[in-house]
Amino acid sequence: MKYLRLIPALLLGAMLTACNTTKKLYEAQEYDQVIQRLAPDICDGDMNAKHINMVAASYHKANQADHERIQALKATGQPDVWPEIYQRYCNMKGRNDALKCFPTKVKKGMNYVKLDLDEDMTVARNHAEAFLVAKIDQLLATGTKENGQEAMKYVVQFARTNKDNPNISRFVKRSSLCMGDAVFIGFGNASDFTLPQEFKANVLAFDAGELPTYNTFLTEWDRKLFIMYSVDAVVDEVKISPVRLDEVTFNETNNGKTVDVTDHSQNKSVTVKGHIVMDCASCSLRNEDEPMYLVPFEVKSTFKNDYTTIRGDREACSAETLSRLNTKPVPVPTDESMLMDAARKLNDLIAAELKK
């Protein structure tokens, strides 16, 4: 029985603590936190007059402050104000949405009006994105570590403005490449196919000037350096087609003479599929459960040789057939040589991706 009497006392204490905390938040002008704490309960039917009055006051004061700030920012005419303008419109819309479930009588008593901010938000977001894209590109064009760090701050702001913008991952990648002390480029084979030892060497054999010049790129891990950024090309699948010989035979005639013409085609291909993982462990936008930037790839090495043979009178051949008779069958490349060709193509693809 003693414990049963204790439970209501504990609940009452918790409620008083919560009320006291909310009051302190209101006094500290943390109006959004007040709304976040109390609005769900009012939506669920809690008609505590003090809570309703506190939410109403928080709602109007916060909206008034945002409105005045938006007007002041617009008056400057500066392009860099739009990200903040957009965020303040988002704040106003968020508050409005939080209170729309209130009973009609409560909304009327607190002078709640549904705000139509969609057009204002679209305009603000478009201006904000235009400014952020230009600013980030400007900073990254210098290629310096300091500007890479500064660009990342704007990228974080960009992600808050529109996390679905396709430029976000590209900007994170470029900023990170600038920020690091060095970039490690590695290779891995996750397929069931045993690649030749030279395959990795060909993938990582970058020519002078092939990689961007704004950072140090390493293909061997250097423990003396703080490697902030890593780029790994991982092979997932290797397919080698059997040699195929296609033939088409037809007849040609000329001045009563005939000839059988056969067009031959030698074919073989090697396809290597995988993904490039670009991982920045200390990037603020990185999802802990996923690599920061992933690019699937498919590189192919193809062999195709066409030649023509005849059986019969050569004088019966057309001019086109005669021109093809100079082609001959050639030895089909080995699997290893075609894999090396695919490795060089993957090398070019990695270099191109790092320059984007």
Tab-separated table of all heavy atoms in Angstrom, residues 272-332:
chain	number	residue	atom	x	y	z
A	272	VAL	N	33.104	-5.680	-66.625
A	272	VAL	CA	33.420	-5.569	-65.196
A	272	VAL	C	32.469	-4.554	-64.577
A	272	VAL	O	32.431	-3.395	-64.994
A	272	VAL	CB	34.883	-5.128	-64.971
A	272	VAL	CG1	35.179	-5.019	-63.474
A	272	VAL	CG2	35.850	-6.108	-65.627
A	273	LYS	N	31.685	-5.011	-63.589
A	273	LYS	CA	30.741	-4.134	-62.908
A	273	LYS	C	31.159	-3.961	-61.448
A	273	LYS	O	31.764	-4.857	-60.855
A	273	LYS	CB	29.321	-4.703	-62.961
A	273	LYS	CG	28.723	-4.785	-64.356
A	273	LYS	CD	27.300	-5.329	-64.277
A	273	LYS	CE	26.665	-5.417	-65.656
A	273	LYS	NZ	25.271	-5.928	-65.588
A	274	GLY	N	30.808	-2.829	-60.892
A	274	GLY	CA	31.122	-2.594	-59.484
A	274	GLY	C	30.657	-1.224	-59.049
A	274	GLY	O	29.725	-0.657	-59.625
A	275	HIS	N	31.300	-0.696	-58.043
A	275	HIS	CA	30.935	0.625	-57.545
A	275	HIS	C	32.166	1.321	-56.975
A	275	HIS	O	33.090	0.676	-56.493
A	275	HIS	CB	29.839	0.533	-56.486
A	275	HIS	CG	30.199	-0.336	-55.313
A	275	HIS	ND1	30.111	-1.710	-55.335
A	275	HIS	CD2	30.675	-0.016	-54.083
A	275	HIS	CE1	30.494	-2.212	-54.179
A	275	HIS	NE2	30.842	-1.199	-53.397
A	276	ILE	N	32.148	2.637	-57.078
A	276	ILE	CA	33.190	3.460	-56.470
A	276	ILE	C	32.613	4.049	-55.188
A	276	ILE	O	31.580	4.718	-55.214
A	276	ILE	CB	33.636	4.590	-57.419
A	276	ILE	CG1	34.207	4.000	-58.718
A	276	ILE	CG2	34.687	5.463	-56.746
A	276	ILE	CD1	34.483	5.038	-59.781
A	277	VAL	N	33.260	3.762	-54.083
A	277	VAL	CA	32.814	4.263	-52.780
A	277	VAL	C	33.710	5.419	-52.369
A	277	VAL	O	34.927	5.262	-52.271
A	277	VAL	CB	32.877	3.160	-51.700
A	277	VAL	CG1	32.334	3.688	-50.381
A	277	VAL	CG2	32.104	1.936	-52.144
A	278	MET	N	33.105	6.569	-52.166
A	278	MET	CA	33.854	7.728	-51.696
A	278	MET	C	33.376	8.024	-50.281
A	278	MET	O	32.226	8.407	-50.070
A	278	MET	CB	33.624	8.920	-52.626
A	278	MET	CG	34.041	8.627	-54.054
A	278	MET	SD	33.956	10.080	-55.112
A	278	MET	CE	34.433	9.351	-56.683
A	279	ASP	N	34.254	7.837	-49.326
A	279	ASP	CA	33.846	7.857	-47.923
A	279	ASP	C	34.599	8.921	-47.152
A	279	ASP	O	35.824	8.969	-47.184
A	279	ASP	CB	34.120	6.479	-47.309
A	279	ASP	CG	33.430	6.312	-45.971
A	279	ASP	OD1	32.578	7.146	-45.646
A	279	ASP	OD2	33.747	5.348	-45.259
A	280	CYS	N	33.838	9.761	-46.490
A	280	CYS	CA	34.426	10.830	-45.682
A	280	CYS	C	33.940	10.661	-44.246
A	280	CYS	O	32.844	11.077	-43.902
A	280	CYS	CB	34.018	12.192	-46.235
A	280	CYS	SG	34.655	13.584	-45.306
A	281	ALA	N	34.746	10.036	-43.421
A	281	ALA	CA	34.310	9.665	-42.074
A	281	ALA	C	33.962	10.862	-41.211
A	281	ALA	O	33.118	10.778	-40.322
A	281	ALA	CB	35.400	8.836	-41.398
A	282	SER	N	34.588	12.006	-41.456
A	282	SER	CA	34.358	13.156	-40.583
A	282	SER	C	33.432	14.198	-41.197
A	282	SER	O	33.332	15.303	-40.693
A	282	SER	CB	35.696	13.813	-40.237
A	282	SER	OG	36.388	14.166	-41.414
A	283	CYS	N	32.762	13.828	-42.318
A	283	CYS	CA	31.843	14.785	-42.930
A	283	CYS	C	30.545	14.854	-42.140
A	283	CYS	O	29.983	13.825	-41.774
A	283	CYS	CB	31.524	14.393	-44.373
A	283	CYS	SG	32.921	14.589	-45.487
A	284	SER	N	30.046	16.054	-41.906
A	284	SER	CA	28.853	16.233	-41.082
A	284	SER	C	27.589	15.743	-41.763
A	284	SER	O	26.591	15.503	-41.107
A	284	SER	CB	28.692	17.700	-40.717
A	284	SER	OG	28.625	18.504	-41.883
A	285	LEU	N	27.616	15.562	-43.091
A	285	LEU	CA	26.414	15.123	-43.796
A	285	LEU	C	26.383	13.617	-43.988
A	285	LEU	O	25.456	13.074	-44.552
A	285	LEU	CB	26.333	15.799	-45.174
A	285	LEU	CG	26.151	17.309	-45.171
A	285	LEU	CD1	26.000	17.816	-46.595
A	285	LEU	CD2	24.944	17.707	-44.363
A	286	ARG	N	27.404	12.927	-43.535
A	286	ARG	CA	27.501	11.497	-43.806
A	286	ARG	C	26.496	10.715	-42.967
A	286	ARG	O	26.366	10.925	-41.771
A	286	ARG	CB	28.913	11.005	-43.484
A	286	ARG	CG	29.145	9.524	-43.769
A	286	ARG	CD	30.599	9.170	-43.442
A	286	ARG	NE	30.890	7.792	-43.729
A	286	ARG	CZ	30.685	6.798	-42.870
A	286	ARG	NH1	30.168	7.065	-41.700
A	286	ARG	NH2	30.986	5.553	-43.193
A	287	ASN	N	25.784	9.806	-43.624
A	287	ASN	CA	24.917	8.872	-42.925
A	287	ASN	C	25.786	7.743	-42.386
A	287	ASN	O	26.526	7.115	-43.138
A	287	ASN	CB	23.863	8.320	-43.908
A	287	ASN	CG	22.857	7.416	-43.222
A	287	ASN	OD1	23.167	6.727	-42.252
A	287	ASN	ND2	21.642	7.426	-43.732
A	288	GLU	N	25.724	7.492	-41.093
A	288	GLU	CA	26.604	6.499	-40.487
A	288	GLU	C	26.394	5.104	-41.049
A	288	GLU	O	27.287	4.270	-41.011
A	288	GLU	CB	26.392	6.480	-38.973
A	288	GLU	CG	26.852	7.763	-38.278
A	288	GLU	CD	26.680	7.674	-36.787
A	288	GLU	OE1	26.176	6.639	-36.316
A	288	GLU	OE2	27.056	8.632	-36.089
A	289	ASP	N	25.217	4.831	-41.588
A	289	ASP	CA	24.911	3.497	-42.076
A	289	ASP	C	25.270	3.302	-43.545
A	289	ASP	O	25.184	2.205	-44.059
A	289	ASP	CB	23.418	3.192	-41.895
A	289	ASP	CG	23.012	3.236	-40.439
A	289	ASP	OD1	23.841	2.844	-39.603
A	289	ASP	OD2	21.888	3.669	-40.143
A	290	GLU	N	25.670	4.351	-44.238
A	290	GLU	CA	25.942	4.243	-45.659
A	290	GLU	C	27.201	5.014	-46.019
A	290	GLU	O	27.567	5.959	-45.350
A	290	GLU	CB	24.767	4.830	-46.474
A	290	GLU	CG	23.456	4.123	-46.250
A	290	GLU	CD	22.328	4.800	-47.008
A	290	GLU	OE1	22.610	5.797	-47.709
A	290	GLU	OE2	21.192	4.334	-46.905
A	291	PRO	N	27.882	4.591	-47.103
A	291	PRO	CA	28.990	5.408	-47.590
A	291	PRO	C	28.454	6.747	-48.065
A	291	PRO	O	27.297	6.852	-48.474
A	291	PRO	CB	29.554	4.577	-48.750
A	291	PRO	CG	28.439	3.682	-49.158
A	291	PRO	CD	27.666	3.392	-47.917
A	292	MET	N	29.292	7.761	-47.978
A	292	MET	CA	28.823	9.111	-48.277
A	292	MET	C	28.452	9.267	-49.750
A	292	MET	O	27.495	9.933	-50.091
A	292	MET	CB	29.906	10.111	-47.879
A	292	MET	CG	29.489	11.558	-47.975
A	292	MET	SD	29.738	12.225	-49.606
A	292	MET	CE	31.506	12.071	-49.752
A	293	TYR	N	29.215	8.657	-50.645
A	293	TYR	CA	29.012	8.893	-52.080
A	293	TYR	C	29.331	7.599	-52.807
A	293	TYR	O	30.426	7.045	-52.659
A	293	TYR	CB	29.945	10.018	-52.536
A	293	TYR	CG	29.641	10.596	-53.883
A	293	TYR	CD1	28.620	11.515	-54.054
A	293	TYR	CD2	30.393	10.244	-54.994
A	293	TYR	CE1	28.350	12.072	-55.289
A	293	TYR	CE2	30.136	10.793	-56.237
A	293	TYR	CZ	29.115	11.708	-56.381
A	293	TYR	OH	28.851	12.250	-57.612
A	294	LEU	N	28.388	7.081	-53.556
A	294	LEU	CA	28.572	5.803	-54.228
A	294	LEU	C	28.199	5.945	-55.696
A	294	LEU	O	27.128	6.441	-56.026
A	294	LEU	CB	27.724	4.722	-53.551
A	294	LEU	CG	27.950	3.273	-54.000
A	294	LEU	CD1	27.724	2.329	-52.822
A	294	LEU	CD2	27.014	2.883	-55.140
A	295	VAL	N	29.118	5.515	-56.558
A	295	VAL	CA	28.901	5.607	-57.998
A	295	VAL	C	29.033	4.214	-58.609
A	295	VAL	O	30.122	3.629	-58.592
A	295	VAL	CB	29.935	6.554	-58.655
A	295	VAL	CG1	29.653	6.677	-60.145
A	295	VAL	CG2	29.925	7.913	-57.989
A	296	PRO	N	27.947	3.642	-59.147
A	296	PRO	CA	28.077	2.349	-59.822
A	296	PRO	C	28.843	2.508	-61.137
A	296	PRO	O	28.772	3.563	-61.775
A	296	PRO	CB	26.626	1.933	-60.074
A	296	PRO	CG	25.853	3.204	-60.059
A	296	PRO	CD	26.572	4.144	-59.147
A	297	PHE	N	29.579	1.496	-61.520
A	297	PHE	CA	30.294	1.571	-62.791
A	297	PHE	C	30.165	0.254	-63.562
A	297	PHE	O	29.913	-0.808	-62.996
A	297	PHE	CB	31.781	1.927	-62.599
A	297	PHE	CG	32.610	0.832	-61.952
A	297	PHE	CD1	33.061	-0.260	-62.682
A	297	PHE	CD2	32.962	0.923	-60.613
A	297	PHE	CE1	33.836	-1.260	-62.092
A	297	PHE	CE2	33.730	-0.070	-60.005
A	297	PHE	CZ	34.165	-1.157	-60.750
A	298	GLU	N	30.352	0.370	-64.852
A	298	GLU	CA	30.430	-0.788	-65.744
A	298	GLU	C	31.425	-0.443	-66.847
A	298	GLU	O	31.223	0.507	-67.596
A	298	GLU	CB	29.066	-1.123	-66.356
A	298	GLU	CG	29.130	-2.283	-67.355
A	298	GLU	CD	27.761	-2.648	-67.913
A	298	GLU	OE1	26.796	-2.618	-67.136
A	298	GLU	OE2	27.665	-2.946	-69.125
A	299	VAL	N	32.507	-1.185	-66.913
A	299	VAL	CA	33.500	-0.975	-67.967
A	299	VAL	C	33.563	-2.235	-68.817
A	299	VAL	O	33.451	-3.350	-68.311
A	299	VAL	CB	34.889	-0.630	-67.390
A	299	VAL	CG1	34.877	0.752	-66.770
A	299	VAL	CG2	35.339	-1.657	-66.362
A	300	LYS	N	33.759	-2.030	-70.111
A	300	LYS	CA	33.764	-3.152	-71.050
A	300	LYS	C	35.004	-3.109	-71.922
A	300	LYS	O	35.458	-2.047	-72.336
A	300	LYS	CB	32.526	-3.107	-71.950
A	300	LYS	CG	31.315	-3.789	-71.382
A	300	LYS	CD	30.242	-3.951	-72.451
A	300	LYS	CE	29.086	-4.789	-71.934
A	300	LYS	NZ	28.103	-5.076	-72.986
A	301	SER	N	35.508	-4.288	-72.196
A	301	SER	CA	36.533	-4.448	-73.218
A	301	SER	C	35.928	-5.352	-74.288
A	301	SER	O	35.506	-6.479	-73.984
A	301	SER	CB	37.797	-5.087	-72.633
A	301	SER	OG	38.747	-5.303	-73.657
A	302	THR	N	35.840	-4.861	-75.485
A	302	THR	CA	35.187	-5.633	-76.550
A	302	THR	C	36.156	-5.885	-77.692
A	302	THR	O	36.980	-5.032	-78.048
A	302	THR	CB	33.957	-4.885	-77.089
A	302	THR	OG1	34.349	-3.589	-77.564
A	302	THR	CG2	32.915	-4.713	-75.999
A	303	PHE	N	36.054	-7.063	-78.240
A	303	PHE	CA	36.825	-7.429	-79.438
A	303	PHE	C	35.841	-7.794	-80.540
A	303	PHE	O	34.925	-8.585	-80.326
A	303	PHE	CB	37.732	-8.626	-79.154
A	303	PHE	CG	38.305	-9.249	-80.393
A	303	PHE	CD1	39.355	-8.645	-81.059
A	303	PHE	CD2	37.777	-10.436	-80.898
A	303	PHE	CE1	39.873	-9.215	-82.228
A	303	PHE	CE2	38.283	-10.997	-82.047
A	303	PHE	CZ	39.337	-10.391	-82.720
A	304	LYS	N	36.035	-7.188	-81.701
A	304	LYS	CA	35.185	-7.486	-82.851
A	304	LYS	C	36.030	-7.359	-84.110
A	304	LYS	O	36.673	-6.324	-84.332
A	304	LYS	CB	33.997	-6.531	-82.920
A	304	LYS	CG	33.046	-6.795	-84.089
A	304	LYS	CD	31.850	-5.856	-84.010
A	304	LYS	CE	30.962	-5.971	-85.239
A	304	LYS	NZ	30.401	-7.328	-85.419
A	305	ASN	N	36.051	-8.395	-84.895
A	305	ASN	CA	36.790	-8.376	-86.160
A	305	ASN	C	35.926	-8.977	-87.262
A	305	ASN	O	35.438	-10.106	-87.138
A	305	ASN	CB	38.099	-9.170	-86.027
A	305	ASN	CG	38.883	-9.163	-87.328
A	305	ASN	OD1	39.228	-8.105	-87.850
A	305	ASN	ND2	39.162	-10.346	-87.879
A	306	ASP	N	35.719	-8.208	-88.311
A	306	ASP	CA	34.915	-8.661	-89.453
A	306	ASP	C	35.829	-8.939	-90.648
A	306	ASP	O	36.734	-8.141	-90.933
A	306	ASP	CB	33.881	-7.599	-89.836
A	306	ASP	CG	32.891	-7.321	-88.708
A	306	ASP	OD1	32.597	-8.252	-87.945
A	306	ASP	OD2	32.432	-6.169	-88.598
A	307	TYR	N	35.588	-10.042	-91.314
A	307	TYR	CA	36.326	-10.353	-92.540
A	307	TYR	C	35.420	-11.130	-93.486
A	307	TYR	O	34.380	-11.662	-93.095
A	307	TYR	CB	37.622	-11.109	-92.238
A	307	TYR	CG	37.418	-12.480	-91.631
A	307	TYR	CD1	37.414	-13.633	-92.431
A	307	TYR	CD2	37.251	-12.635	-90.257
A	307	TYR	CE1	37.237	-14.890	-91.872
A	307	TYR	CE2	37.064	-13.875	-89.693
A	307	TYR	CZ	37.067	-15.007	-90.506
A	307	TYR	OH	36.891	-16.248	-89.959
A	308	THR	N	35.858	-11.210	-94.750
A	308	THR	CA	35.028	-11.827	-95.789
A	308	THR	C	35.843	-12.845	-96.578
A	308	THR	O	37.014	-12.605	-96.899
A	308	THR	CB	34.481	-10.750	-96.751
A	308	THR	OG1	33.684	-9.826	-96.001
A	308	THR	CG2	33.616	-11.376	-97.852
A	309	THR	N	35.214	-13.992	-96.873
A	309	THR	CA	35.817	-15.005	-97.741
A	309	THR	C	34.855	-15.314	-98.881
A	309	THR	O	33.646	-15.067	-98.769
A	309	THR	CB	36.131	-16.295	-96.963
A	309	THR	OG1	34.903	-16.817	-96.410
A	309	THR	CG2	37.134	-16.040	-95.841
A	310	ILE	N	35.417	-15.831	-99.989
A	310	ILE	CA	34.567	-16.178	-101.146
A	310	ILE	C	34.870	-17.593	-101.606
A	310	ILE	O	35.943	-18.141	-101.354
A	310	ILE	CB	34.783	-15.181	-102.311
A	310	ILE	CG1	36.250	-15.195	-102.773
A	310	ILE	CG2	34.355	-13.777	-101.907
A	310	ILE	CD1	36.505	-14.366	-104.027
A	311	ARG	N	33.897	-18.176	-102.298
A	311	ARG	CA	34.071	-19.476	-102.950
A	311	ARG	C	33.437	-19.353	-104.342
A	311	ARG	O	32.219	-19.221	-104.445
A	311	ARG	CB	33.396	-20.591	-102.162
A	311	ARG	CG	33.550	-21.967	-102.823
A	311	ARG	CD	32.861	-23.039	-102.008
A	311	ARG	NE	33.515	-23.200	-100.710
A	311	ARG	CZ	33.082	-24.017	-99.753
A	311	ARG	NH1	31.960	-24.684	-99.951
A	311	ARG	NH2	33.733	-24.120	-98.614
A	312	GLY	N	34.286	-19.369	-105.342
A	312	GLY	CA	33.778	-19.202	-106.695
A	312	GLY	C	34.637	-18.232	-107.486
A	312	GLY	O	35.805	-17.985	-107.146
A	313	ASP	N	34.046	-17.664	-108.487
A	313	ASP	CA	34.779	-16.779	-109.405
A	313	ASP	C	34.895	-15.376	-108.808
A	313	ASP	O	33.891	-14.700	-108.555
A	313	ASP	CB	34.046	-16.715	-110.755
A	313	ASP	CG	34.935	-16.175	-111.867
A	313	ASP	OD1	35.771	-15.296	-111.573
A	313	ASP	OD2	34.809	-16.640	-113.017
A	314	ARG	N	36.093	-14.917	-108.601
A	314	ARG	CA	36.330	-13.606	-108.003
A	314	ARG	C	35.750	-12.483	-108.846
A	314	ARG	O	35.327	-11.450	-108.338
A	314	ARG	CB	37.845	-13.408	-107.825
A	314	ARG	CG	38.233	-12.124	-107.103
A	314	ARG	CD	39.755	-11.966	-107.092
A	314	ARG	NE	40.148	-10.736	-106.419
A	314	ARG	CZ	40.469	-10.633	-105.139
A	314	ARG	NH1	40.426	-11.721	-104.378
A	314	ARG	NH2	40.824	-9.474	-104.617
A	315	GLU	N	35.718	-12.707	-110.201
A	315	GLU	CA	35.222	-11.668	-111.092
A	315	GLU	C	33.721	-11.428	-110.932
A	315	GLU	O	33.198	-10.421	-111.411
A	315	GLU	CB	35.546	-12.019	-112.540
A	315	GLU	CG	37.040	-12.014	-112.836
A	315	GLU	CD	37.324	-12.290	-114.300
A	315	GLU	OE1	36.347	-12.472	-115.077
A	315	GLU	OE2	38.511	-12.328	-114.677
A	316	ALA	N	33.051	-12.310	-110.228
A	316	ALA	CA	31.616	-12.128	-109.981
A	316	ALA	C	31.358	-11.233	-108.772
A	316	ALA	O	30.224	-10.825	-108.516
A	316	ALA	CB	30.940	-13.485	-109.780
A	317	CYS	N	32.415	-10.929	-108.015
A	317	CYS	CA	32.242	-10.129	-106.775
A	317	CYS	C	31.911	-8.684	-107.099
A	317	CYS	O	32.445	-8.092	-108.040
A	317	CYS	CB	33.528	-10.176	-105.944
A	317	CYS	SG	33.911	-11.796	-105.252
A	318	SER	N	31.056	-8.103	-106.267
A	318	SER	CA	30.764	-6.670	-106.370
A	318	SER	C	31.964	-5.882	-105.849
A	318	SER	O	32.851	-6.439	-105.175
A	318	SER	CB	29.525	-6.329	-105.558
A	318	SER	OG	29.771	-6.555	-104.169
A	319	ALA	N	31.967	-4.594	-106.138
A	319	ALA	CA	33.066	-3.730	-105.671
A	319	ALA	C	33.134	-3.715	-104.153
A	319	ALA	O	34.217	-3.705	-103.560
A	319	ALA	CB	32.872	-2.319	-106.218
A	320	GLU	N	31.985	-3.732	-103.511
A	320	GLU	CA	31.956	-3.716	-102.044
A	320	GLU	C	32.575	-4.977	-101.474
A	320	GLU	O	33.343	-4.928	-100.515
A	320	GLU	CB	30.517	-3.556	-101.557
A	320	GLU	CG	30.398	-3.445	-100.050
A	320	GLU	CD	28.960	-3.303	-99.566
A	320	GLU	OE1	28.066	-3.146	-100.417
A	320	GLU	OE2	28.760	-3.355	-98.348
A	321	THR	N	32.232	-6.121	-102.068
A	321	THR	CA	32.792	-7.388	-101.587
A	321	THR	C	34.298	-7.415	-101.792
A	321	THR	O	35.053	-7.853	-100.911
A	321	THR	CB	32.134	-8.570	-102.314
A	321	THR	OG1	30.733	-8.602	-102.010
A	321	THR	CG2	32.768	-9.889	-101.898
A	322	LEU	N	34.751	-6.945	-102.936
A	322	LEU	CA	36.190	-6.916	-103.204
A	322	LEU	C	36.935	-6.074	-102.169
A	322	LEU	O	38.051	-6.412	-101.757
A	322	LEU	CB	36.448	-6.366	-104.613
A	322	LEU	CG	36.059	-7.288	-105.780
A	322	LEU	CD1	36.189	-6.561	-107.112
A	322	LEU	CD2	36.930	-8.551	-105.784
A	323	SER	N	36.317	-4.979	-101.744
A	323	SER	CA	36.972	-4.117	-100.752
A	323	SER	C	37.108	-4.801	-99.396
A	323	SER	O	38.007	-4.482	-98.617
A	323	SER	CB	36.199	-2.809	-100.602
A	323	SER	OG	34.939	-3.044	-99.988
A	324	ARG	N	36.215	-5.752	-99.118
A	324	ARG	CA	36.252	-6.436	-97.825
A	324	ARG	C	37.180	-7.635	-97.814
A	324	ARG	O	37.447	-8.200	-96.762
A	324	ARG	CB	34.846	-6.882	-97.407
A	324	ARG	CG	33.867	-5.753	-97.140
A	324	ARG	CD	32.701	-6.222	-96.289
A	324	ARG	NE	32.013	-7.342	-96.872
A	324	ARG	CZ	30.967	-7.260	-97.705
A	324	ARG	NH1	30.511	-6.050	-98.055
A	324	ARG	NH2	30.381	-8.343	-98.190
A	325	LEU	N	37.645	-8.029	-98.986
A	325	LEU	CA	38.493	-9.222	-99.045
A	325	LEU	C	39.870	-8.999	-98.454
A	325	LEU	O	40.622	-9.951	-98.222
A	325	LEU	CB	38.623	-9.696	-100.506
A	325	LEU	CG	37.350	-10.287	-101.124
A	325	LEU	CD1	37.604	-10.683	-102.576
A	325	LEU	CD2	36.872	-11.501	-100.330
A	326	ASN	N	40.229	-7.739	-98.246
A	326	ASN	CA	41.536	-7.446	-97.647
A	326	ASN	C	41.566	-7.735	-96.149
A	326	ASN	O	42.640	-7.812	-95.554
A	326	ASN	CB	41.901	-5.974	-97.880
A	326	ASN	CG	42.136	-5.687	-99.349
A	326	ASN	OD1	42.644	-6.540	-100.078
A	326	ASN	ND2	41.753	-4.495	-99.792
A	327	THR	N	40.391	-7.839	-95.517
A	327	THR	CA	40.350	-8.143	-94.080
A	327	THR	C	40.585	-9.624	-93.853
A	327	THR	O	40.203	-10.473	-94.679
A	327	THR	CB	38.996	-7.748	-93.484
A	327	THR	OG1	37.961	-8.444	-94.181
A	327	THR	CG2	38.775	-6.246	-93.602
A	328	LYS	N	41.241	-9.941	-92.752
A	328	LYS	CA	41.601	-11.322	-92.442
A	328	LYS	C	41.217	-11.665	-91.009
A	328	LYS	O	41.079	-10.780	-90.169
A	328	LYS	CB	43.122	-11.527	-92.618
A	328	LYS	CG	43.651	-11.177	-94.009
A	328	LYS	CD	43.079	-12.106	-95.063
A	328	LYS	CE	43.616	-11.729	-96.452
A	328	LYS	NZ	42.994	-12.559	-97.514
A	329	PRO	N	41.053	-12.951	-90.709
A	329	PRO	CA	40.836	-13.333	-89.305
A	329	PRO	C	42.104	-13.043	-88.497
A	329	PRO	O	43.219	-13.121	-89.021
A	329	PRO	CB	40.544	-14.828	-89.379
A	329	PRO	CG	41.144	-15.275	-90.667
A	329	PRO	CD	41.042	-14.114	-91.609
A	330	VAL	N	41.915	-12.661	-87.232
A	330	VAL	CA	43.055	-12.375	-86.352
A	330	VAL	C	42.900	-13.174	-85.065
A	330	VAL	O	41.782	-13.607	-84.722
A	330	VAL	CB	43.129	-10.861	-86.027
A	330	VAL	CG1	43.365	-10.044	-87.292
A	330	VAL	CG2	41.873	-10.391	-85.310
A	331	PRO	N	43.989	-13.390	-84.346
A	331	PRO	CA	43.892	-14.135	-83.089
A	331	PRO	C	42.999	-13.393	-82.093
A	331	PRO	O	43.085	-12.165	-81.953
A	331	PRO	CB	45.339	-14.190	-82.595
A	331	PRO	CG	46.170	-13.979	-83.815
A	331	PRO	CD	45.380	-13.059	-84.688
A	332	VAL	N	42.144	-14.112	-81.421
A	332	VAL	CA	41.259	-13.512	-80.422
A	332	VAL	C	42.084	-13.188	-79.171
A	332	VAL	O	42.874	-14.024	-78.713
A	332	VAL	CB	40.109	-14.472	-80.073
A	332	VAL	CG1	39.226	-13.878	-78.980
A	332	VAL	CG2	39.292	-14.791	-81.310
